[in-house]
Amino acid sequence: MSRKYKIRDQEKLYFVTFTIVEWIDLFTRRIYRDILLDSLRYCQQNKGLDLCAYCIMSSHAHFIIGRNGEQPLEGIIRDVKKFTSVKIIEEIQINPQESRKDLLLWHFGKAGRFNPNNKSFQVWQQHSHPVELNTNDKLSRCLHYIHHNPVEAGIVLSPEEYLYSSASNYAGLTDTLMEVILVE
């Protein structure tokens, strides 16, 4: 593994990306996005997660995160991925409305069988490629990248129109899904 992508300073902010295995468009369903958001809220309240920015796209999610407690940032990331993986698989298995059930379970099962770190299913790619945001320029560029992801994808015309993003927080709108710590 490259030494470039490691969390070295627990007191810094990091840009991280969580990607679904095989870039599967999992987050086209609200229930799966809500599982991720609920996990992030739990970690904010109980594990010392500082969430500064986020954007959930169909196959991946970008974050700017830090920590304010004793738990290492790697541990928080691990916990979010582990919890959401279990909950997402459970939801796929029990949801009679999930038309892609067999396909999703097959892909996640195949990924899990080829990864010795898993018992049965793997939802997330293993690495989050943390990039330390040690300058104002890096922070500003990552914040812009995160919030403009849905614009570049042609989903919305302006960042604050995208519901599953912190762009509305930064635009000062009152209707937001998550509390974030504003930076920049």
Side-chain angles (χ1 to χ4, degrees):
M1 181 169 109
S2 171
R3 295 179 60 78
K4 181 178 177 182
Y5 297 111
K6 290 193 185 286
I7 294 174
R8 297 187 186 286
D9 186 343
Q10 294 290 328
E11 306 312 311
K12 300 283 187 188
L13 294 178
Y14 285 84
F15 168 76
V16 295
T17 301
F18 296 2
T19 306
I20 301 296
V21 295
E22 299 181 35
W23 287 84
I24 293 170
D25 288 324
L26 179 71
F27 294 119
T28 56
R29 304 242 194 274
R30 179 180 181 171
I31 185 65
Y32 307 132
R33 294 187 302 254
D34 288 347
I35 288 169
L36 178 56
L37 290 174
D38 288 343
S39 180
L40 293 169
R41 283 186 198 101
Y42 178 85
C43 288
Q44 284 176 305
Q45 295 166 1
N46 299 290
K47 294 187 179 254
L49 173 66
D50 283 341
L51 180 64
C52 300
Y54 71 94
C55 182
I56 303 173
M57 300 296 286
S58 63
S59 62
H60 62 286
H62 297 295
F63 306 98
I64 293 177
I65 58 172
R67 68 166 194 150
N68 62 45
E70 292 300 313
Q71 185 166 354
L73 205 45
E74 301 93 334
I76 297 170
I77 291 169
R78 178 203 61 230
D79 291 351
V80 169
K81 285 182 159 185
K82 184 176 180 179
F83 176 81
T84 56
S85 292
V86 170
K87 286 302 206 185
I88 287 168
I89 292 298
E90 286 175 359
E91 184 60 36
I92 291 169
Q93 290 172 329
I94 66 168
N95 186 350
Q97 304 300 314
E98 180 52 80
S99 60
R100 307 169 300 163
K101 181 183 297 196
D102 292 339
L103 177 71
L104 292 172
L105 293 175
W106 183 83
H107 280 285
F108 296 150
K110 181 180 83 169
R113 285 189 300 278
F114 287 105
N115 185 339
N117 296 326
N118 293 332
K119 293 180 181 166
S120 54
F121 295 103
Q122 180 176 343
V123 173
W124 299 105
Q125 289 183 15
Q126 208 157 334
H127 303 292
S128 301
H129 298 285
V131 174
E132 184 178 306
L133 302 178
N134 53 10
T135 68
N136 288 337
D137 181 57
K138 275 186 185 177
L139 178 60
S140 181
R141 283 187 290 125
C142 286
L143 197 56
H144 182 271
Y145 176 79
I146 288 171
H147 290 156
H148 282 81
N149 220 242
V151 176
E152 294 296 319
I155 299 169
V156 293
L157 293 175
S158 63
E160 61 274 4
E161 294 174 357
Y162 191 64
L163 181 60
Y164 289 91
S165 163
S166 57
S168 57
N169 300 75
Y170 281 83
L173 302 178
T174 55
D175 288 336
T176 60
L177 293 179
M178 294 284 299
E179 294 292 323
V180 297
I181 298 169
L182 301 178
V183 294
E184 196 177 25

